[in-house]
Amino acid sequence: MSSKQHLTKYEIPTATTQRALIIAEAKEEGLIPDNSSVFDNVDDLVKSLEEDE
């Protein structure tokens, strides 16, 4: 019996997910600027999301 674990289709990231993970890591490392909006309450977050529609 092999000691390798097999990934299920739900554990293998899609190309979109993989790209998002790489971008998040690059932002965390300071390699690219993080210009994401920051919210300190839910109401402001919801208002921002509604404005984007």
Side-chain angles (χ1 to χ4, degrees):
M1 196 175 223
S2 174
S3 63
K4 280 185 167 179
Q5 291 184 342
H6 296 285
L7 297 176
T8 66
K9 68 178 181 178
Y10 299 108
E11 295 171 320
I12 300 171
T14 64
T16 301
T17 302
Q18 190 170 14
R19 184 173 188 276
L21 291 170
I22 292 169
I23 291 171
E25 189 172 344
K27 286 179 178 182
E28 186 175 301
E29 296 294 326
L31 300 173
I32 59 175
D34 184 358
N35 55 1
S36 303
S37 300
V38 178
F39 303 96
D40 57 3
N41 64 64
V42 175
D43 294 332
D44 289 344
L45 169 63
V46 171
K47 182 178 176 183
S48 173
L49 291 172
E50 290 173 345
E51 289 173 355
D52 289 343
E53 290 180 359

